[in-house]
């Protein structure tokens, strides 16, 4: 069955960096676009980033543009999110999610990895 | 950027009630809207895509409608398992996607 499992979260100081990973299984990873979505404690969902199935296009939410970089390694069925210049407002549960056919809606989600930015 | 304004933010209802949640887009997005259900401590679950297409395995009491800028999610007869938070999402363009603020559906 389709599974996506996030890892790499933790506590980081403001201005620091962190790399999140998402291990995918149960589907042909290289055929699908992938997303990162985050949720601050007690708040709603915020879309963070998207990468097309072939890596040819990447997009970012305004709040992370220029600081976060999405990438994929199809040989390892892994999605990554490199986060730089972290701020307190980046504190959130980060979800990895599979796109349905590069269309833009998310049909499978992981359970999330928690990032806390605090001194 | 396209904004999605979801209402109400909280909705109190009883088992068996019919409820409707609305999302308004800041510009026309055709039918590129999805709806998700999220329960506490869990990941969101896809319910509806392309405004009105029911995801496989989702009960038929859930339905979606709308196009352009106004969209609705309707639950025809609330069941105990339906009390959760619901989000709309627009996917009009690769350049950016947006979620609504969420609607918490509570037991009256």
């Amino acid at each position: 069955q389709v599974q996506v499992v996030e890892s790499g979260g933790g506590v980081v100081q403001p201005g620091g960096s962190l790399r999140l990973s998402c291990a995918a299984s149960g589907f042909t990873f290289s055929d699908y676009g992938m997303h990162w979505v985050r949720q601050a404690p007690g708040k709603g969902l915020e879309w963070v980033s998207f990468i097309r199935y072939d890596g040819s296009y990447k997009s970012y939410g305004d709040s992370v543009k220029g600081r976060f970089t999405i990438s994929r390694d199809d040989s390892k069925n892994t999605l990554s999110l490199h986060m730089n210049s972290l701020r307190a407002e980046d504190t959130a549960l980060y979800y990895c999610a599979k796109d349905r056919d590069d269309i833009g809606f998310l049909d499978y989600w992981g359970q999330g990895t928690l990032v806390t930015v605090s001194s | 950027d396209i904004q999605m304004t979801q209402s109400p933010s909280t909705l109190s209802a009883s088992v068996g009630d019919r409820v409707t949640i609305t999302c308004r887009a800041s510009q026309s997005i055709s039918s590129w809207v999805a709806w998700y259900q999220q329960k506490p401590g869990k990941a969101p679950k896809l319910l509806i895509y392309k405004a009105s297409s029911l995801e496989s395995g989702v009960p038929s009491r859930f339905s979606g409608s709308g196009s352009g800028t106004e969209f609705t999610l309707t639950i025809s007869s609330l069941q105990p398992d339906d009390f959760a938070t619901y989000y709309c999402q627009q996917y009009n363009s690769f350049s950016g996607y947006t979620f609504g603020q969420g609607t918490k559906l509570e037991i009256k």
Side-chain angles (χ1 to χ4, degrees):
Chain A
Q1 73 279 21
V2 173
Q3 259 197 313
V4 290
V5 179
E6 305 90 340
S7 61
V11 180
V12 60
Q13 291 189 337
S17 299
L18 205 59
R19 179 190 176 210
L20 305 183
S21 294
C22 170
S25 60
F27 64 102
T28 305
F29 182 69
S30 58
D31 285 350
Y32 294 93
M34 298 292 294
H35 298 257
W36 289 99
V37 175
R38 69 185 182 184
Q39 187 168 35
K43 302 297 184 183
L45 301 173
E46 180 187 10
W47 174 78
V48 172
S49 185
F50 165 72
I51 184 168
R52 285 203 73 185
Y53 74 101
D54 59 359
S56 62
Y57 186 86
K58 304 173 185 179
S59 55
Y60 300 91
D62 287 343
S63 62
V64 307
K65 208 171 289 184
R67 300 188 298 124
F68 289 12
T69 302
I70 192 171
S71 62
R72 64 189 299 153
D73 184 340
D74 290 348
S75 68
K76 297 181 180 178
N77 288 352
T78 300
L79 176 74
S80 296
L81 186 69
H82 297 257
M83 305 185 295
N84 296 323
S85 304
L86 283 162
R87 307 165 180 166
E89 53 265 36
D90 295 317
T91 294
L93 187 64
Y94 284 72
Y95 292 105
C96 164
K98 171 186 167 291
D99 194 297
R100 172 84 50 89
D101 293 338
D102 253 21
I103 294 175
F105 63 91
L106 290 64
D107 59 357
Y108 288 94
W109 298 62
Q111 289 305 306
T113 187
L114 182 62
V115 173
T116 303
V117 183
S118 173
S119 54
Chain B
D1 291 359
I2 300 173
Q3 307 303 316
M4 297 295 282
T5 303
Q6 190 173 337
S7 61
S9 55
T10 306
L11 181 56
S12 296
S14 302
V15 172
D17 283 354
R18 178 185 179 91
V19 299
T20 298
I21 299 167
T22 298
C23 253
R24 287 187 173 86
S26 58
Q27 66 187 71
S28 179
I29 53 172
S30 185
S31 297
W32 304 122
V33 165
W35 291 92
Y36 302 87
Q37 176 193 66
Q38 187 179 34
K39 296 182 178 178
K42 299 294 187 182
K45 173 188 173 183
L46 176 67
L47 299 176
I48 301 282
Y49 59 94
K50 207 176 177 184
S52 60
S53 296
L54 191 67
E55 174 68 352
S56 175
V58 174
S60 59
R61 62 181 179 273
F62 291 90
S63 64
S65 65
S67 66
T69 61
E70 188 153 336
F71 304 88
T72 59
L73 172 71
T74 299
I75 309 173
S76 60
S77 177
L78 272 174
Q79 299 302 301
D81 191 48
D82 300 338
F83 292 94
T85 300
Y86 293 84
Y87 295 91
C88 61
Q89 178 226 341
Q90 67 82 16
Y91 53 101
N92 184 65
S93 165
F94 282 155
S95 63
Y97 305 98
T98 323
F99 289 93
Q101 304 96 313
T103 295
K104 185 175 183 180
L105 181 52
E106 298 180 330
I107 302 174
K108 185 184 286 184

